Amino acid sequence: MKMTRKQRYRRIEQAEPGEIGKLEALISACTWRQHYHIQPITGLLNDPNGFSYYQGYYHLFYQWFPLGTEHGMKYWYHTRSTDLVNWEDVGIGIQPGDTYDSHGAYSGSAIEKEGQLYLLYTGNTRDSNWIRHPYQCLAIMDESGSITKVDQPVISEVPAGYTEHFRDPKVWKQGDTYYGVIGAQREDETGCTVLYRSSDLRNWTFLGEIQTQLPKFGYMWECPDYMELQGQGVLIFSPQGIERQGDWYNNIFQSGYLIGEPLDLQTRHFEHGPFQELDRGFDFYAPQTMQSPDGRRILVGWMGLPDLEYPTDERGWAHCLTIPRQLSLREGKLIQQPVSEMVKLRGGKEGKHMVSTLHNETRSFAEFAGVAYELKCEIRDFDAEVVGIELRAGAEEKTVLQYDRLAQKVILDRSRSGAALADQNGNVRRCVLNADVLKFHVFMDSSSVEIFVNDGEEVFTSRIFPSKESVEIRLFAHGGKAEFQASKWDY
């Protein structure tokens, strides 16, 4: 049963007696709970927030509605890790309900300053007519891990020319100055990103809009993130309202990036190439990046989308985060690869290996099966028209990853992956890839799959909901032959 608006905007202490216990009981019986991904303890998870490194830990918060699987009163829930792999639940990081975040602590970012971690976020408020009034708020975490909210917002007004859709501050430091980008909607209902400057993270000056070559590109740009990588400027954002174009923009909302010359902070001019999608799968949104102590640029995304129902909704929880990914630039594209620390999940085990040439057949292999694992598969010397892998396969179920040699496309088909997903997001995704050798690096979990193609040239991130009996891995070559080399590690 859907919650009423009043029920959705309760704080956790306003839960009915036994309400949280009921959710916990549903969750404990759910076979789709993840093994190694960050997931909510109850209720709904969405955007990653405050991704940072402080006091020897990676800190990663997420948007959290604890009382159900709909979007309601949002908290920041706090997790931390020393290695980007093993995450511990810390608990509530930012609790909403004060004057300037009365209806939720929305997304934002974190940066260290003078031995403390500054958390900037959007405070969501609604007036008596349910009109939104956003504030950009500040909370500060000290060395003991205690988080205190600053009484007054650091940005209290939306600048002229923009609507109340004004949120998700992402902050960085350049020289002695702090800069922040915020996702915005113009009054003509087109999306953009605006730029602010501060010397102390408390007093901010509005500089204006970042000037791109996309004046009318969707109706809202959420979760902007600017960085400089290998001497180039990169602007990541999640535009809403982009029309589908062939194999592009097939999800209900997109996430992508622009690469260009470094942003001119004086003129706000950003000379860039075309908008490119970050992920070619079904369930990826609102990514956030941070710079690790060793200089790597690391990204985590929400493995889900707004406004869609998922099979776990009835089991008391919804969504998870992706594994952390290291970013680099290659030939005008943003490349994503699993962080090297992920090998820790192998537990030092040798893994299982196989080499086989398939001729117009589908074949399974002993010991190549499972629910949560890492799989590396290389396909060479193929004249087959179609080659690929069936994942989480059973009598009736399978998630199919394949390469169509004639069309030169990688295709992910989850139409038979298990419990049905929302129709409006579809079940097949394709992207062009011209390659003589195929490398599929697969991270499978109980209810998700992340596929890195040809060393991160393309990535497919997807939720799938197979039955626990569907555990086979099958390799296939149709219309010819192909040589397969595969290695697998159980998690």
Side-chain angles (χ1 to χ4, degrees):
M1 184 185 298
K2 294 279 189 184
M3 286 186 175
T4 64
R5 179 190 290 171
K6 185 176 180 180
Q7 288 173 321
R8 292 200 313 274
Y9 284 88
R10 292 173 298 156
R11 295 192 301 276
I12 195 166
E13 63 268 21
Q14 296 171 308
E16 298 289 336
E19 185 176 1
I20 292 173
K22 184 179 178 183
L23 287 175
E24 291 172 340
L26 282 171
I27 290 165
S28 67
C30 181
T31 59
W32 292 318
R33 289 292 279 178
Q34 301 277 57
H35 284 67
Y36 58 93
H37 286 82
I38 293 172
Q39 59 192 343
I41 52 171
T42 64
L44 177 139
L45 166 157
N46 57 303
D47 307 7
N49 291 161
F51 193 17
S52 54
Y53 188 84
Y54 173 68
Q55 295 284 316
Y57 286 93
Y58 292 94
H59 296 270
L60 184 52
F61 302 80
Y62 58 77
Q63 290 284 285
W64 182 49
F65 175 51
L67 301 181
T69 55
E70 299 171 58
H71 290 271
M73 180 72 89
K74 295 295 176 63
Y75 291 69
W76 276 34
Y77 191 89
H78 186 190
T79 67
R80 69 179 188 177
S81 172
T82 58
D83 61 7
L84 291 167
V85 176
N86 300 289
W87 295 89
E88 63 173 299
D89 287 327
V90 180
I92 292 169
I94 298 176
Q95 180 160 313
D98 294 320
T99 303
Y100 299 105
D101 58 12
S102 60
H103 289 71
Y106 277 16
S107 289
S109 57
I111 190 167
E112 184 177 354
K113 175 178 178 283
E114 297 172 352
Q116 296 180 308
L117 192 66
Y118 282 60
L119 311 171
L120 287 101
Y121 68 98
T122 298
N124 183 43
T125 71
R126 299 277 189 168
D127 63 20
S128 58
N129 295 316
W130 205 247
I131 303 298
R132 186 198 307 267
H133 298 277
Y135 298 92
Q136 311 313 314
C137 300
L138 174 64
I140 300 174
M141 184 164 77
D142 64 21
E143 293 181 9
S144 73
S146 175
I147 298 174
T148 304
K149 290 197 285 189
V150 174
D151 288 343
Q152 296 293 315
V154 294
I155 300 173
S156 58
E157 294 181 355
V158 175
Y162 302 94
T163 74
E164 74 278 5
H165 290 289
F166 192 83
R167 53 183 174 268
D168 312 334
K170 180 63 164 64
V171 179
W172 74 95
K173 189 177 185 182
Q174 199 146 322
D176 294 328
T177 304
Y178 297 96
Y179 292 90
V181 284
I182 295 178
Q185 182 187 67
R186 304 183 188 99
E187 286 183 339
D188 67 357
E189 296 189 356
T190 56
C192 63
T193 296
V194 299
L195 184 67
Y196 279 78
R197 180 180 65 216
S198 174
S199 61
D200 60 3
L201 295 172
R202 293 174 180 265
N203 299 284
W204 289 88
T205 300
F206 175 64
L207 299 179
E209 200 172 298
I210 291 181
Q211 302 298 317
T212 70
Q213 284 90 63
L214 298 174
K216 294 184 185 291
F217 192 69
Y219 60 79
M220 173 64 189
W221 291 9
E222 293 196 305
C223 302
D225 191 343
Y226 177 77
M227 70 211 69
E228 291 181 5
L229 200 58
Q230 295 165 225
Q232 299 217 263
V234 180
L235 179 65
I236 293 175
F237 60 100
S238 296
Q240 297 181 318
I242 307 300
E243 294 295 320
R244 181 177 304 181
Q245 295 178 20
D247 294 334
W248 293 94
Y249 318 141
N250 277 232
N251 292 339
I252 60 166
F253 299 126
Q254 322 307 324
S255 291
Y257 60 92
L258 305 171
I259 299 174
E261 297 297 314
L263 172 65
D264 187 321
L265 294 167
Q266 304 306 312
T267 66
R268 306 181 312 284
H269 182 72
F270 185 42
E271 188 69 36
H272 60 81
F275 179 80
Q276 301 181 69
E277 280 185 288
L278 266 166
D279 196 282
R280 309 309 297 270
F282 304 88
D283 303 288
F284 182 90
Y285 195 69
Q288 186 170 103
T289 75
M290 59 87 70
Q291 191 164 24
S292 67
D294 60 9
R296 292 176 296 167
R297 179 62 60 170
I298 299 172
L299 174 147
V300 169
W302 167 24
M303 213 188 303
L305 282 168
D307 304 336
L308 291 179
E309 294 182 1
Y310 286 81
T312 59
D313 290 359
E314 296 177 355
R315 311 295 175 91
W317 69 286
H319 310 305
C320 59
L321 298 182
T322 67
I323 63 170
R325 304 165 178 190
Q326 182 175 342
L327 301 183
S328 60
L329 297 181
R330 187 197 307 155
E331 297 177 359
K333 292 190 71 169
L334 196 57
I335 303 301
Q336 301 173 70
Q337 294 175 288
V339 292
S340 57
E341 289 90 338
M342 292 303 294
V343 299
K344 291 187 176 186
L345 286 176
R346 299 176 185 176
K349 297 172 188 170
E350 175 62 26
K352 303 174 180 71
H353 309 281
M354 58 77 61
V355 178
S356 184
T357 299
L358 273 59
H359 295 264
N360 204 30
E361 61 185 312
T362 299
R363 193 188 302 174
S364 55
F365 296 84
E367 297 190 309
F368 269 65
V371 168
Y373 55 81
E374 176 189 354
L375 175 70
K376 282 188 163 186
C377 183
E378 197 166 295
I379 308 173
R380 296 177 167 272
D381 299 327
F382 57 92
D383 62 13
E385 293 180 7
V386 180
V387 295
I389 315 171
E390 295 178 1
L391 300 158
R392 293 300 304 273
E396 302 293 332
E397 297 175 347
K398 58 184 177 181
T399 298
V400 183
L401 172 65
Q402 66 183 37
Y403 182 68
D404 184 322
R405 184 177 60 83
L406 302 181
Q408 294 190 325
K409 288 186 180 183
V410 179
I411 303 166
L412 181 64
D413 184 343
R414 67 173 184 187
S415 57
R416 294 175 60 187
S417 68
L421 286 109
D423 288 340
Q424 62 264 47
N425 213 39
N427 283 309
V428 179
R429 291 287 181 272
R430 302 175 176 86
C431 74
V432 171
L433 186 80
N434 184 1
D436 296 325
V437 176
L438 296 171
K439 298 178 186 177
F440 294 138
H441 193 178
V442 177
F443 287 82
M444 179 65 70
D445 208 339
S446 303
S447 55
S448 69
V449 61
E450 293 168 80
I451 302 160
F452 299 82
V453 180
N454 283 18
D455 301 314
E457 184 176 337
E458 299 286 358
V459 187
F460 290 78
T461 299
S462 298
R463 297 303 301 277
I464 56 172
F465 298 92
S467 61
K468 61 180 185 293
E469 294 80 21
S470 297
V471 297
E472 284 191 49
I473 298 169
R474 302 170 186 153
L475 309 179
F476 62 85
H478 299 315
K481 65 175 177 59
E483 181 184 300
F484 289 77
Q485 299 178 25
S487 300
K488 175 179 169 287
W489 296 266
D490 291 308
Y491 286 170

Coordinates of all heavy atoms in Angstrom, one line a residue, residues 223-279:
C223 N 22.9 16.6 -9.6 CA 24.2 16.1 -9.1 C 25.4 16.4 -10.0 O 26.1 15.5 -10.5 CB 24.1 14.6 -9.0 SG 22.7 14.1 -7.9
P224 N 25.7 17.7 -10.3 CA 26.8 18.1 -11.1 C 28.1 17.8 -10.3 O 28.1 17.8 -9.0 CB 26.7 19.6 -11.3 CG 25.9 20.0 -10.1 CD 24.9 18.9 -9.8
D225 N 29.2 17.5 -11.0 CA 30.5 17.2 -10.4 C 31.6 17.6 -11.4 O 31.7 17.1 -12.5 CB 30.6 15.7 -10.1 CG 31.7 15.3 -9.2 OD1 32.7 16.1 -9.1 OD2 31.7 14.2 -8.7
Y226 N 32.4 18.7 -11.0 CA 33.4 19.1 -11.9 C 34.8 18.6 -11.3 O 35.0 18.7 -10.1 CB 33.4 20.6 -12.0 CG 34.6 21.1 -12.9 CD1 34.5 21.0 -14.3 CD2 35.7 21.6 -12.4 CE1 35.6 21.3 -15.1 CE2 36.8 22.0 -13.2 CZ 36.7 21.8 -14.5 OH 37.8 22.2 -15.3
M227 N 35.7 18.2 -12.3 CA 37.0 17.8 -11.9 C 38.0 18.1 -13.1 O 37.5 18.3 -14.2 CB 37.0 16.3 -11.5 CG 36.8 15.4 -12.8 SD 36.0 13.9 -12.4 CE 34.4 14.5 -12.0
E228 N 39.2 18.0 -12.8 CA 40.2 18.1 -13.8 C 41.0 16.8 -13.8 O 41.5 16.3 -12.7 CB 41.1 19.3 -13.7 CG 40.3 20.6 -14.0 CD 41.0 21.9 -13.9 OE1 42.3 21.8 -13.7 OE2 40.4 22.9 -14.1
L229 N 41.2 16.2 -15.0 CA 41.7 14.8 -15.1 C 42.6 14.8 -16.3 O 42.2 15.2 -17.4 CB 40.6 13.8 -15.3 CG 40.7 12.4 -15.0 CD1 41.2 12.1 -13.6 CD2 39.4 11.6 -15.3
Q230 N 43.9 14.5 -16.1 CA 44.9 14.4 -17.2 C 44.9 15.7 -18.0 O 45.0 15.7 -19.2 CB 44.6 13.2 -18.0 CG 44.8 11.8 -17.3 CD 44.1 10.7 -18.0 OE1 43.5 9.8 -17.4 NE2 44.3 10.5 -19.3
G231 N 44.8 16.8 -17.3 CA 44.9 18.1 -17.9 C 43.7 18.6 -18.6 O 43.7 19.7 -19.2
Q232 N 42.6 17.9 -18.5 CA 41.3 18.3 -19.1 C 40.2 18.5 -18.1 O 40.3 17.9 -17.0 CB 40.9 17.2 -20.1 CG 41.9 17.0 -21.2 CD 41.2 16.7 -22.6 OE1 41.0 15.6 -23.0 NE2 40.8 17.8 -23.3
G233 N 39.3 19.3 -18.4 CA 38.1 19.5 -17.5 C 37.0 18.5 -17.8 O 36.8 18.2 -19.0
V234 N 36.4 18.0 -16.8 CA 35.3 17.0 -16.9 C 34.1 17.5 -16.1 O 34.3 17.7 -14.9 CB 35.7 15.6 -16.5 CG1 34.6 14.6 -16.7 CG2 37.0 15.1 -17.3
L235 N 33.0 17.6 -16.7 CA 31.7 17.9 -16.0 C 30.8 16.8 -16.1 O 30.3 16.4 -17.2 CB 31.1 19.2 -16.5 CG 29.8 19.6 -15.9 CD1 30.0 20.1 -14.4 CD2 29.1 20.8 -16.6
I236 N 30.5 16.1 -14.9 CA 29.6 15.0 -14.8 C 28.3 15.6 -14.3 O 28.3 16.4 -13.4 CB 30.1 13.9 -13.9 CG1 31.3 13.2 -14.5 CG2 29.0 12.9 -13.6 CD1 32.0 12.2 -13.6
F237 N 27.1 15.2 -14.9 CA 25.8 15.6 -14.4 C 24.8 14.6 -14.8 O 25.0 13.7 -15.7 CB 25.5 17.0 -14.7 CG 25.4 17.3 -16.2 CD1 24.2 17.3 -16.9 CD2 26.6 17.5 -17.0 CE1 24.2 17.6 -18.3 CE2 26.5 17.7 -18.3 CZ 25.3 17.8 -19.0
S238 N 23.6 14.7 -14.2 CA 22.5 13.8 -14.5 C 21.3 14.6 -15.0 O 20.5 15.1 -14.3 CB 22.1 13.0 -13.3 OG 23.1 12.2 -12.9
P239 N 21.2 14.8 -16.4 CA 20.2 15.6 -17.0 C 18.8 14.8 -17.0 O 18.8 13.6 -17.3 CB 20.7 15.9 -18.4 CG 21.5 14.7 -18.7 CD 22.2 14.2 -17.4
Q240 N 17.8 15.4 -16.7 CA 16.4 14.8 -16.8 C 15.7 15.4 -18.0 O 15.8 16.6 -18.3 CB 15.6 15.1 -15.5 CG 16.3 14.5 -14.3 CD 15.5 14.7 -13.0 OE1 15.0 15.8 -12.8 NE2 15.4 13.7 -12.2
G241 N 15.0 14.5 -18.7 CA 14.2 15.0 -19.9 C 14.9 14.9 -21.2 O 14.6 15.7 -22.1
I242 N 15.8 14.0 -21.4 CA 16.5 13.8 -22.6 C 15.8 12.8 -23.5 O 15.4 11.7 -23.0 CB 18.0 13.4 -22.4 CG1 18.7 14.3 -21.5 CG2 18.7 13.3 -23.7 CD1 18.8 15.7 -21.9
E243 N 15.5 13.1 -24.7 CA 14.8 12.2 -25.6 C 15.7 11.1 -26.1 O 16.9 11.3 -26.3 CB 14.3 12.9 -26.8 CG 13.2 14.0 -26.6 CD 11.9 13.3 -26.0 OE1 11.5 12.3 -26.6 OE2 11.3 13.9 -25.1
R244 N 15.2 9.9 -26.2 CA 15.9 8.7 -26.7 C 16.4 8.9 -28.1 O 15.6 9.5 -28.9 CB 15.0 7.5 -26.6 CG 15.6 6.2 -27.1 CD 14.6 5.1 -26.9 NE 14.1 5.0 -25.5 CZ 13.3 4.0 -25.1 NH1 12.7 3.2 -26.0 NH2 12.9 4.0 -23.8
Q245 N 17.6 8.5 -28.4 CA 18.2 8.6 -29.7 C 18.9 7.3 -30.1 O 20.0 7.1 -29.7 CB 19.2 9.7 -29.8 CG 18.6 11.1 -29.6 CD 19.7 12.2 -29.7 OE1 20.7 12.0 -30.2 NE2 19.4 13.4 -29.1
G246 N 18.1 6.4 -30.7 CA 18.7 5.1 -31.1 C 19.1 4.3 -29.8 O 18.3 4.1 -28.9
D247 N 20.4 3.9 -29.7 CA 20.9 3.2 -28.6 C 21.2 4.1 -27.4 O 21.6 3.7 -26.3 CB 22.2 2.4 -29.0 CG 21.9 1.3 -30.0 OD1 20.8 0.8 -30.0 OD2 22.8 1.0 -30.7
W248 N 21.2 5.5 -27.6 CA 21.5 6.4 -26.6 C 20.3 6.8 -25.8 O 19.2 6.9 -26.3 CB 22.1 7.7 -27.2 CG 23.5 7.4 -27.8 CD1 23.8 7.2 -29.1 CD2 24.8 7.4 -27.1 NE1 25.1 7.0 -29.3 CE2 25.7 7.1 -28.1 CE3 25.1 7.6 -25.8 CZ2 27.1 7.1 -27.7 CZ3 26.5 7.5 -25.5 CH2 27.4 7.3 -26.4
Y249 N 20.5 7.2 -24.5 CA 19.5 7.8 -23.6 C 18.2 6.9 -23.5 O 17.1 7.4 -23.6 CB 19.1 9.2 -24.2 CG 20.3 10.0 -24.6 CD1 20.2 10.8 -25.8 CD2 21.5 10.0 -24.0 CE1 21.3 11.6 -26.2 CE2 22.6 10.8 -24.4 CZ 22.4 11.5 -25.5 OH 23.5 12.3 -25.9
N250 N 18.4 5.6 -23.3 CA 17.2 4.8 -23.2 C 16.6 4.6 -21.8 O 15.5 4.1 -21.7 CB 17.6 3.4 -23.7 CG 17.6 3.2 -25.2 OD1 16.9 2.3 -25.8 ND2 18.2 4.2 -25.9
N251 N 17.4 5.1 -20.8 CA 16.8 5.1 -19.4 C 15.9 6.3 -19.2 O 16.0 7.3 -20.0 CB 17.9 5.1 -18.4 CG 18.8 3.8 -18.4 OD1 18.3 2.8 -18.8 ND2 20.0 3.9 -17.9
I252 N 15.0 6.2 -18.2 CA 14.1 7.3 -18.0 C 14.8 8.6 -17.7 O 14.4 9.7 -18.0 CB 13.0 7.0 -17.0 CG1 13.6 6.7 -15.6 CG2 12.1 5.8 -17.5 CD1 12.5 6.7 -14.5
F253 N 16.0 8.5 -17.0 CA 16.9 9.6 -16.7 C 18.3 9.2 -17.0 O 18.6 8.0 -16.8 CB 16.7 10.1 -15.2 CG 15.4 10.6 -14.9 CD1 14.7 10.1 -13.8 CD2 14.7 11.6 -15.6 CE1 13.4 10.5 -13.5 CE2 13.5 12.0 -15.3 CZ 12.8 11.5 -14.2
Q254 N 19.1 10.1 -17.3 CA 20.5 9.8 -17.8 C 21.6 10.3 -16.8 O 21.3 11.2 -16.0 CB 20.8 10.4 -19.2 CG 19.6 10.3 -20.1 CD 19.0 9.0 -20.3 OE1 19.7 8.0 -20.3 NE2 17.7 8.9 -20.5
S255 N 22.8 9.8 -16.9 CA 23.9 10.4 -16.3 C 25.1 10.4 -17.3 O 25.3 9.3 -18.0 CB 24.4 9.5 -15.1 OG 23.4 9.6 -14.0
G256 N 25.8 11.5 -17.4 CA 26.8 11.5 -18.4 C 27.8 12.6 -18.1 O 27.9 13.2 -17.0
Y257 N 28.6 13.0 -19.1 CA 29.7 13.9 -18.9 C 30.1 14.7 -20.2 O 29.8 14.3 -21.3 CB 30.9 13.1 -18.4 CG 31.5 12.1 -19.4 CD1 32.4 12.4 -20.3 CD2 30.9 10.8 -19.4 CE1 32.9 11.4 -21.2 CE2 31.4 9.8 -20.3 CZ 32.4 10.1 -21.2 OH 32.8 9.2 -22.1
L258 N 30.8 15.8 -19.9 CA 31.4 16.6 -21.0 C 32.9 16.6 -20.7 O 33.3 16.8 -19.5 CB 30.8 18.0 -21.0 CG 29.3 18.1 -21.1 CD1 28.9 19.6 -20.8 CD2 28.8 17.7 -22.4
I259 N 33.7 16.5 -21.7 CA 35.1 16.6 -21.6 C 35.6 17.8 -22.4 O 35.1 18.0 -23.6 CB 35.9 15.4 -22.1 CG1 35.5 14.2 -21.3 CG2 37.4 15.6 -22.0 CD1 36.1 12.9 -21.8
G260 N 36.5 18.7 -21.9 CA 36.9 19.8 -22.6 C 38.2 20.4 -22.0 O 38.9 19.8 -21.2
E261 N 38.4 21.7 -22.4 CA 39.5 22.4 -21.8 C 39.1 22.7 -20.3 O 37.9 22.7 -20.0 CB 39.6 23.8 -22.5 CG 40.1 23.6 -24.0 CD 41.5 23.0 -24.1 OE1 42.4 23.3 -23.3 OE2 41.6 22.0 -24.9
P262 N 40.1 22.9 -19.5 CA 39.7 23.2 -18.1 C 38.7 24.4 -18.0 O 38.9 25.4 -18.8 CB 41.0 23.5 -17.4 CG 42.0 22.7 -18.2 CD 41.5 22.8 -19.6
L263 N 37.8 24.3 -17.1 CA 36.8 25.4 -16.9 C 37.5 26.7 -16.6 O 38.3 26.7 -15.7 CB 35.8 25.0 -15.8 CG 34.8 26.0 -15.3 CD1 33.8 26.4 -16.4 CD2 34.1 25.5 -14.1
D264 N 37.1 27.8 -17.3 CA 37.7 29.1 -17.0 C 36.8 29.7 -15.8 O 35.7 30.0 -16.0 CB 37.5 30.0 -18.2 CG 38.2 31.3 -18.0 OD1 38.1 31.9 -16.9 OD2 38.8 31.8 -19.0
L265 N 37.4 29.7 -14.7 CA 36.7 30.1 -13.5 C 36.4 31.6 -13.4 O 35.5 32.0 -12.7 CB 37.5 29.7 -12.2 CG 37.7 28.2 -12.0 CD1 38.8 27.9 -11.0 CD2 36.4 27.6 -11.6
Q266 N 37.0 32.4 -14.3 CA 36.7 33.8 -14.4 C 35.5 34.0 -15.3 O 34.5 34.7 -14.9 CB 37.9 34.6 -14.9 CG 39.2 34.3 -14.1 CD 39.0 34.6 -12.6 OE1 38.5 35.6 -12.2 NE2 39.5 33.7 -11.8
T267 N 35.5 33.5 -16.5 CA 34.4 33.7 -17.4 C 33.3 32.6 -17.3 O 32.2 32.8 -17.9 CB 35.0 33.7 -18.9 OG1 35.4 32.4 -19.2 CG2 36.1 34.7 -19.0
R268 N 33.6 31.5 -16.6 CA 32.7 30.4 -16.5 C 32.5 29.7 -17.8 O 31.6 28.9 -18.0 CB 31.4 30.7 -15.8 CG 31.5 31.5 -14.5 CD 30.2 31.8 -13.9 NE 29.2 32.4 -14.9 CZ 29.3 33.7 -15.3 NH1 30.3 34.5 -14.8 NH2 28.4 34.1 -16.1
H269 N 33.4 29.9 -18.8 CA 33.2 29.3 -20.1 C 33.8 27.9 -20.1 O 35.0 27.8 -19.6 CB 33.9 30.2 -21.2 CG 33.7 29.6 -22.6 ND1 32.5 29.6 -23.2 CD2 34.6 29.0 -23.4 CE1 32.7 29.0 -24.4 NE2 34.0 28.6 -24.5
F270 N 33.1 27.0 -20.6 CA 33.6 25.6 -20.7 C 33.5 25.1 -22.1 O 32.4 24.9 -22.6 CB 32.7 24.7 -19.7 CG 33.2 23.3 -19.6 CD1 34.6 23.0 -19.5 CD2 32.3 22.2 -19.6 CE1 35.0 21.7 -19.4 CE2 32.7 20.9 -19.5 CZ 34.1 20.6 -19.4
E271 N 34.6 25.0 -22.7 CA 34.7 24.5 -24.1 C 34.8 23.0 -24.1 O 35.8 22.5 -23.5 CB 36.0 25.1 -24.8 CG 36.1 24.8 -26.3 CD 35.0 25.6 -27.1 OE1 34.7 26.7 -26.7 OE2 34.5 25.0 -28.1
H272 N 33.9 22.3 -24.7 CA 33.8 20.9 -24.5 C 33.3 20.1 -25.7 O 32.8 20.7 -26.7 CB 32.8 20.6 -23.3 CG 31.4 21.1 -23.6 ND1 30.5 20.4 -24.4 CD2 30.8 22.2 -23.1 CE1 29.4 21.1 -24.4 NE2 29.5 22.2 -23.7
G273 N 33.4 18.8 -25.7 CA 32.9 18.0 -26.7 C 31.5 17.5 -26.4 O 30.8 18.1 -25.6
P274 N 31.0 16.5 -27.1 CA 29.6 16.0 -27.0 C 29.3 15.4 -25.6 O 30.2 14.9 -24.9 CB 29.5 15.0 -28.1 CG 30.9 14.5 -28.3 CD 31.8 15.6 -28.1
F275 N 28.1 15.5 -25.2 CA 27.6 14.8 -24.0 C 27.7 13.3 -24.3 O 27.2 12.8 -25.3 CB 26.2 15.2 -23.7 CG 25.6 14.5 -22.5 CD1 25.9 14.9 -21.2 CD2 24.8 13.4 -22.6 CE1 25.4 14.3 -20.1 CE2 24.3 12.7 -21.5 CZ 24.6 13.2 -20.2
Q276 N 28.3 12.5 -23.3 CA 28.4 11.1 -23.5 C 27.9 10.4 -22.2 O 28.1 10.9 -21.1 CB 29.9 10.7 -23.7 CG 30.5 11.3 -24.9 CD 31.9 10.8 -25.1 OE1 32.2 9.7 -25.4 NE2 32.9 11.7 -24.9
E277 N 27.1 9.3 -22.4 CA 26.6 8.6 -21.2 C 27.7 7.9 -20.5 O 28.6 7.3 -21.1 CB 25.6 7.5 -21.7 CG 24.2 8.1 -21.9 CD 23.2 7.1 -22.3 OE1 23.3 6.5 -23.4 OE2 22.3 6.8 -21.4
L278 N 27.6 7.9 -19.2 CA 28.6 7.2 -18.3 C 28.4 5.7 -18.3 O 29.4 5.0 -18.2 CB 28.5 7.7 -16.9 CG 29.4 8.8 -16.4 CD1 28.9 9.4 -15.1 CD2 30.8 8.4 -16.3
D279 N 27.2 5.3 -18.4 CA 26.9 3.9 -18.2 C 25.8 3.4 -19.2 O 24.8 4.2 -19.5 CB 26.4 3.6 -16.8 CG 26.4 2.2 -16.4 OD1 25.5 1.4 -16.8 OD2 27.3 1.8 -15.7

